[in-house]
Amino acid sequence: MTSLRRVETVLDYLKDFYPIRKCSTPRLVKRTDGCLFLQLGTCLGVCSGRVSPDEYKVYIEEIWQLLNGNDRIAVHELSGKINTAIENFNFEKVAQYSGYLLGLRHVIGKQRLVRSSSKNRNVLAVELINNELPKSKGTRFFIEK
């Protein structure tokens, strides 16, 4: 599996396990009912005002800690999910979670390499722009103007 594919797998993992904002509105526009992603349960609904920006920031901090290699809890939780899926004979989930685990280990391993080496680096960075988290579509992050 290529490095790019593993990074894309980690992005898929983040979308599946962290209810981060996915809607394409340029700013945090208040909506009374929220967006489709809120109704599907894949977003906390920051746009609806149900979750404060400070509460939302906790999830962003968890992602930050994970990608920096400081939080190994997600790796242990994925291992547990793999074992549970095996016990339930849910091999599709086993394959999905195994891919997530390989991707996380790859990104975390590369993060350690970046800190100790100045050559051949793969870098995944997420930065707040104008105090907003970039939105994601597929495997790309963007800011609308």
Side-chain angles (χ1 to χ4, degrees), residues 2-127:
T2 66
S3 295
L4 175 63
R5 183 65 197 132
R6 287 201 174 142
V7 171
E8 289 173 342
T9 302
V10 170
L11 291 175
D12 291 339
Y13 164 78
L14 294 176
K15 289 176 189 173
D16 286 351
F17 285 90
Y18 290 90
I20 55 178
R21 183 172 174 242
K22 298 170 185 74
C23 55
S24 59
T25 55
R27 292 188 174 75
L28 287 177
V29 178
K30 287 261 183 179
R31 300 178 184 193
T32 55
D33 295 333
C35 63
L36 176 63
F37 297 107
L38 172 65
Q39 294 172 10
L40 293 173
T42 61
C43 178
L44 289 173
V46 179
C47 63
S48 68
R50 296 178 189 173
V51 175
S52 73
D54 290 334
E55 290 174 278
Y56 184 71
K57 199 173 193 177
V58 170
Y59 285 98
I60 302 305
E61 185 63 31
E62 285 179 20
I63 293 170
W64 178 258
Q65 292 298 322
L66 172 66
L67 294 178
N68 277 325
N70 299 330
D71 184 3
R72 307 289 284 172
I73 294 172
V75 173
H76 295 297
E77 286 178 355
L78 267 176
S79 296
K81 287 184 180 292
I82 290 170
N83 291 334
T84 302
I86 289 170
E87 290 170 3
N88 294 329
F89 301 105
N90 191 344
F91 299 113
E92 291 85 8
K93 287 290 183 188
V94 171
Q96 180 182 19
Y97 295 154
S98 295
Y100 289 161
L101 189 58
L102 284 172
L104 278 175
R105 287 183 176 159
H106 175 77
V107 169
I108 291 169
K110 287 291 184 179
Q111 187 71 338
R112 287 193 193 111
L113 180 65
V114 167
R115 289 186 184 140
S116 64
S117 171
S118 63
K119 295 182 180 179
N120 296 327
R121 293 184 277 174
N122 291 329
V123 177
L124 172 65
V126 178
E127 178 182 357

